[in-house]
């Protein structure tokens, strides 16, 4: 009997601890009142790059896809790679060799079952 009561009290305490408060208190600022986040000046570059920036870059590093096939074609290859790759950090970047980007596209497209309809990017 004592074990049952202790178990019920423990479960009740855990459930109560998991519940969120119904209202915010006056001491907590509302989300709308919070200032917008500001990127520090010394922050490292971010992964996402606007395709217009890539297209505006005239040439890349030697060995990069950008240097191999140019900005327009490398941007199209990168977009195809991003559309099909399930990887969390795929090599879909114009700074990588075109062979690596195409390899990721091929690998991702092979993961689709034969009977499923593949994305259009797999056939391009």
């Amino acid at each position: 009997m004592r074990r049952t009561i202790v178990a019920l009290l423990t479960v009740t305490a855990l459930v109560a601890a998991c519940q969120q408060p119904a209202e915010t208190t006056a001491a907590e600022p509302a989300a709308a009142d919070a200032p917008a986040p500001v990127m520090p000046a010394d922050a490292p570059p971010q992964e996402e790059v606007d395709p217009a920036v890539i297209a505006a870059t005239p040439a890349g590093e030697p060995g990069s896809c950008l240097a191999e096939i140019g900005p327009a074609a490398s941007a199209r290859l990168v977009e195809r790679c991003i559309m099909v790759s399930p990887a969390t950090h795929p090599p879909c970047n114009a700074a990588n060799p075109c062979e690596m980007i195409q390899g990721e596209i091929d690998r991702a497209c092979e993961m689709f079952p034969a009977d499923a309809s593949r994305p259009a990017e797999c056939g391009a």
Side-chain angles (χ1 to χ4, degrees):
M1 176 80 164
R2 184 179 287 177
R3 285 186 182 178
T4 305
I5 293 173
V6 171
L8 287 174
L9 289 174
T10 303
V11 169
T12 304
L14 289 173
V15 170
C18 292
Q19 294 180 350
Q20 295 181 355
E23 298 178 18
T24 59
T25 62
E28 295 177 17
D33 297 338
V38 177
M39 183 68 71
D42 62 344
Q46 303 299 307
E47 280 188 40
E48 295 181 25
V49 178
D50 184 20
V53 172
I54 294 172
T57 307
E61 294 291 321
S64 70
C65 190
L66 186 61
E68 288 178 36
I69 61 176
S74 65
R76 285 192 303 272
L77 190 63
V78 167
E79 285 299 315
R80 282 183 53 217
C81 182
I82 291 170
M83 294 298 289
V84 298
S85 179
T88 55
H89 289 56
C92 306
N93 187 328
N96 291 329
C98 293
E99 185 177 323
M100 181 186 293
I101 299 170
Q102 185 62 50
E104 176 64 16
I105 293 170
D106 295 341
R107 182 190 73 81
C109 289
E110 287 174 4
M111 294 187 346
F112 287 96
D115 59 342
S117 61
R118 291 184 171 187
E121 288 80 7
C122 288

